[in-house]
Amino acid sequence: MLQKIIRRALATVVVLIGVSIIAFLLVRLAPGDPAKLMLPDTATEETIQAMREKMGTDKPLFIQYLTYMKNVLKGDLGTSYHYNRSCSQLIFSRLPSTAKLAGFGMLLSLCFSIPLGMIAGIKKGSFIDTLSMFFAMIGQSMSHVWLGLMLILIFAVNLKWLPSMGTGTFKHMIMPAIVIGFQFSALATRMVRSGMIDVLQEDYITATRAKGISKFKVYTKYAFKNALLPVVTVVGSQVGAMMSGSMVIETVFSWPGIGSLTTQAIYNRDYQLIQSILLISATIFVVCNLLVDILYTFIDPRISFN
Amino acid sequence: MNSRTLFRRIRKSSFFLIGIITVLIIVTLAIISPMIVAHDAYIGDLELRLKEPEGFAGGWEGYILGCDPLGRDVLTRVLIGSRASMLIALTVVGITLVTGTILGLISGYYGGLVDMCLMRLCDILMATPGLLLAVCVVAVLGSNFVNLIIVLSITGWVRYARLVRGNVLAIRNSEYIQASRVLGAGNAHIILTQVLPNITTPLIIQASQQFGNVILIEAGMSFLGVGVPISTPSWGGMISAGREYIATAPWVVIAPGVALMITVLAFNFLGDGLRDVLDPKNKN
């Protein structure tokens, strides 16, 4: 077991090195001389040359990468030229805000999709089942931007129940959390439903029913746990989807997280910050997937890393 | 599978029927839209600025879905805007389907070092959140149609490669492939005539679902200003431009959003329907 976990962790390290190469090359792909970008247009050739040497862009690409990695491992991701602050500081000051939103969104969608998926699975072919499948389809087909704007139109503009943007109170969090969790709830409903259908055909469920245990208890105590297992596997991949979604959602709702920081970095052409966000986001995503995989082998001993 | 079985399954799958009919309607509209629209999609009349939808009161020449902040007819722009989405999705799906399949075939059939390198590359690309990577790359390279298609293709082929590789591994050592080899067939012959036909079904299903996905990602990127250039009408761009007017003129945002949702929904229905119809495990 431990050996497998170590092997899986090593594979993660390889992936992270690959991601760091992509993030590193990304900035080098940017048109123009990075040294010129840091200086005003009036800078002389000597000043630019001095800046190149200071930034290390006059050295071979491979050496530049090694220097970059050395700094990254020391926790230095470079300086955002727009904010004139260290990228890591900027990112980590915004991270809790996004994590709170994503966490709340995930919780909301689980509270909604688990009961819905269970009922749909138990009453296969019923009206609720059709409804849940339709919801799952819609969830995969709706754009984050549009869903967010429609919620604003209904709950902020017309009903005036919720604030349309900003942060501070719990009310501010409801709409963005619904949007960020929407896709996941569609997926989770689908998985709980099919998990439930599979589990209910198992012999041990028939056996518990034969023993005279009530239907309700069978569903909630025995079937539920096993139907929930597949959902755990997608939680990891959903972290990535939520990161992607957060860019758009935080922009729509003016939520001060990583997503809106990314959007601003793009508007400002703040390449160093874009690079750092890419690296940090990918690291979080990969580590979450690793943790989910490890967790899964503990929850379900039948599964191995192979 | 004979044609009678196929027809029976098509008739039974309401997902497939709804999906294919809607997709055909949307694609037709996208193709003929320049011929049927009543107004100019690019130049508006500022006197008609944010004009309310008038329904069919003015007939086809009227402003059925209202006007946008620049006085352009919303319905016209929704129809013309479908072309950008369709063109990008079609190109990206085409490129990724072909490259992903080729790389997956090589990876699965030959195995060894090539396989290992390609699969690690897949891992790395899968490790970066899709939209984030696409947005970052376009932000650095500059946003235009070509860069958009390149970026979406770079991340898109991975799913096909994995799918193909998995299926190839499953059939690589089956008896009929071994029989071919014994009879003296070369690798290329085996791949093209024995392996490829056996993996087309999952590929078609995957392609149909990716189509909807690409449209959604493109809309998200256009909203963030790194997608389709603003000068070209696109659904994402329209939603982005109408965002400020959500309280006073919601129709500017509602129309392209509904078009987007129906289109993606249609392709997802088609994908699910195709699974019902084509999946050989799904015997009635």
Side-chain angles (χ1 to χ4, degrees), chain B residues 192-220:
Chain B
L192 289 177
T193 62
Q194 320 277 324
V195 180
L196 202 56
N198 276 297
I199 53 174
T200 40
T201 301
L203 277 177
I204 294 172
I205 295 167
Q206 174 75 36
S208 178
Q209 282 165 347
Q210 196 208 4
F211 208 97
N213 233 340
V214 172
I215 291 178
L216 275 184
I217 294 180
E218 180 270 310

Coordinates of all heavy atoms in Angstrom, one line a residue, chain B residues 192-220:
Chain B
L192 N -5.2 0.0 -39.6 CA -6.2 0.7 -40.4 C -7.4 -0.2 -40.6 O -8.6 0.3 -40.6 CB -5.6 1.1 -41.7 CG -4.7 2.3 -41.6 CD1 -4.1 2.6 -43.0 CD2 -5.4 3.5 -41.1
T193 N -7.2 -1.5 -40.8 CA -8.4 -2.3 -41.2 C -8.9 -3.2 -40.0 O -10.1 -3.6 -40.1 CB -8.1 -3.3 -42.3 OG1 -7.0 -4.2 -41.9 CG2 -7.6 -2.5 -43.5
Q194 N -8.1 -3.4 -39.0 CA -8.7 -4.2 -37.9 C -8.9 -3.4 -36.6 O -10.0 -3.5 -36.0 CB -7.7 -5.3 -37.5 CG -7.0 -6.0 -38.6 CD -7.8 -7.1 -39.2 OE1 -8.5 -7.8 -38.5 NE2 -7.8 -7.2 -40.5
V195 N -8.0 -2.5 -36.2 CA -8.1 -1.8 -35.0 C -9.0 -0.6 -35.1 O -10.0 -0.5 -34.3 CB -6.7 -1.3 -34.5 CG1 -6.8 -0.6 -33.2 CG2 -5.8 -2.5 -34.3
L196 N -8.8 0.2 -36.1 CA -9.6 1.5 -36.2 C -11.1 1.3 -36.3 O -11.8 1.9 -35.5 CB -9.1 2.3 -37.4 CG -9.4 3.8 -37.4 CD1 -8.8 4.4 -36.1 CD2 -8.8 4.4 -38.6
P197 N -11.6 0.3 -37.1 CA -13.0 0.2 -37.2 C -13.6 -0.2 -35.9 O -14.8 0.0 -35.6 CB -13.2 -1.0 -38.2 CG -12.0 -0.9 -39.0 CD -10.9 -0.5 -38.1
N198 N -12.8 -0.9 -35.0 CA -13.4 -1.3 -33.7 C -13.4 -0.2 -32.7 O -14.0 -0.5 -31.6 CB -12.5 -2.5 -33.2 CG -13.0 -3.8 -33.8 OD1 -14.1 -4.2 -33.6 ND2 -12.1 -4.4 -34.6
I199 N -12.8 0.9 -32.9 CA -12.9 2.0 -31.9 C -13.7 3.2 -32.4 O -13.7 4.2 -31.7 CB -11.5 2.4 -31.5 CG1 -10.6 2.8 -32.7 CG2 -10.8 1.3 -30.7 CD1 -9.3 3.3 -32.3
T200 N -14.3 3.1 -33.5 CA -15.0 4.3 -34.0 C -16.2 4.7 -33.2 O -16.4 5.9 -33.0 CB -15.5 4.1 -35.5 OG1 -16.0 2.8 -35.6 CG2 -14.5 4.3 -36.5
T201 N -16.9 3.7 -32.6 CA -18.1 4.1 -31.8 C -17.8 5.0 -30.6 O -18.3 6.1 -30.5 CB -18.8 2.8 -31.3 OG1 -19.2 2.1 -32.5 CG2 -20.0 3.1 -30.5
P202 N -16.8 4.6 -29.7 CA -16.5 5.5 -28.6 C -16.0 6.9 -29.1 O -16.3 7.9 -28.5 CB -15.5 4.8 -27.8 CG -15.0 3.7 -28.6 CD -16.1 3.3 -29.6
L203 N -15.3 6.9 -30.3 CA -14.8 8.1 -30.8 C -15.9 9.1 -31.3 O -15.9 10.3 -31.0 CB -13.9 7.8 -32.0 CG -12.4 7.5 -31.7 CD1 -11.7 7.1 -32.9 CD2 -11.7 8.6 -30.9
I204 N -16.9 8.5 -31.9 CA -18.0 9.4 -32.4 C -18.7 10.0 -31.2 O -19.1 11.2 -31.2 CB -19.0 8.5 -33.3 CG1 -18.3 8.1 -34.5 CG2 -20.2 9.3 -33.6 CD1 -19.1 7.1 -35.3
I205 N -19.0 9.1 -30.2 CA -19.7 9.6 -29.0 C -18.9 10.7 -28.3 O -19.4 11.8 -28.0 CB -19.9 8.5 -28.0 CG1 -20.9 7.4 -28.6 CG2 -20.5 9.0 -26.7 CD1 -20.9 6.1 -27.9
Q206 N -17.6 10.5 -28.2 CA -16.7 11.5 -27.6 C -16.7 12.8 -28.3 O -16.8 13.9 -27.8 CB -15.3 10.9 -27.5 CG -14.2 11.9 -27.0 CD -14.3 12.1 -25.5 OE1 -14.7 11.2 -24.7 NE2 -14.1 13.3 -25.0
A207 N -16.7 12.7 -29.7 CA -16.6 13.9 -30.5 C -17.8 14.7 -30.4 O -17.8 15.9 -30.2 CB -16.4 13.5 -32.0
S208 N -19.0 14.0 -30.3 CA -20.2 14.8 -30.2 C -20.3 15.5 -28.8 O -20.7 16.7 -28.8 CB -21.4 13.8 -30.3 OG -22.6 14.5 -30.1
Q209 N -19.8 14.9 -27.8 CA -19.8 15.6 -26.5 C -18.8 16.7 -26.4 O -19.0 17.7 -25.8 CB -19.6 14.6 -25.4 CG -20.9 13.8 -25.1 CD -20.7 12.6 -24.2 OE1 -19.5 12.1 -24.0 NE2 -21.7 12.0 -23.7
Q210 N -17.6 16.5 -27.1 CA -16.6 17.5 -27.1 C -17.1 18.8 -27.8 O -16.7 19.9 -27.5 CB -15.3 17.0 -27.8 CG -14.1 17.9 -27.4 CD -13.1 17.8 -28.5 OE1 -13.2 17.2 -29.5 NE2 -12.0 18.5 -28.3
F211 N -17.9 18.6 -28.9 CA -18.4 19.7 -29.6 C -19.1 20.7 -28.7 O -18.8 21.9 -28.8 CB -19.4 19.1 -30.7 CG -19.5 20.0 -31.9 CD1 -18.8 19.6 -33.0 CD2 -20.3 21.1 -31.9 CE1 -18.9 20.4 -34.2 CE2 -20.4 21.9 -33.0 CZ -19.7 21.5 -34.2
G212 N -20.0 20.2 -27.9 CA -20.7 21.1 -26.9 C -19.7 21.7 -26.0 O -19.8 22.9 -25.7
N213 N -18.8 21.0 -25.5 CA -17.8 21.5 -24.6 C -17.0 22.6 -25.2 O -16.7 23.6 -24.5 CB -16.8 20.3 -24.2 CG -16.8 20.2 -22.7 OD1 -17.1 21.1 -22.0 ND2 -16.3 19.0 -22.3
V214 N -16.5 22.4 -26.4 CA -15.7 23.5 -27.1 C -16.5 24.8 -27.2 O -16.0 25.9 -26.9 CB -15.2 23.0 -28.4 CG1 -14.6 24.1 -29.2 CG2 -14.2 21.8 -28.3
I215 N -17.8 24.6 -27.5 CA -18.6 25.8 -27.7 C -18.7 26.5 -26.3 O -18.6 27.8 -26.2 CB -20.0 25.4 -28.2 CG1 -20.0 24.9 -29.6 CG2 -21.0 26.6 -28.1 CD1 -21.3 24.5 -30.2
L216 N -18.9 25.8 -25.2 CA -18.9 26.4 -23.9 C -17.6 27.1 -23.5 O -17.6 28.2 -23.0 CB -19.2 25.3 -22.8 CG -20.7 25.0 -22.6 CD1 -20.8 24.0 -21.4 CD2 -21.5 26.2 -22.3
I217 N -16.5 26.4 -23.8 CA -15.2 27.0 -23.4 C -15.0 28.3 -24.3 O -14.5 29.3 -23.7 CB -14.1 26.0 -23.7 CG1 -14.2 24.9 -22.7 CG2 -12.7 26.7 -23.5 CD1 -13.1 23.8 -22.8
E218 N -15.3 28.2 -25.5 CA -15.1 29.4 -26.4 C -16.0 30.5 -25.9 O -15.5 31.7 -25.9 CB -15.5 29.0 -27.9 CG -15.4 30.1 -28.9 CD -16.7 30.8 -29.0 OE1 -17.7 30.2 -29.2 OE2 -16.6 32.1 -28.9
A219 N -17.2 30.3 -25.5 CA -18.1 31.3 -25.0 C -17.4 31.9 -23.7 O -17.4 33.2 -23.6 CB -19.5 30.8 -24.7
G220 N -16.9 31.1 -22.8 CA -16.3 31.6 -21.6 C -15.1 32.5 -22.0 O -14.9 33.5 -21.4

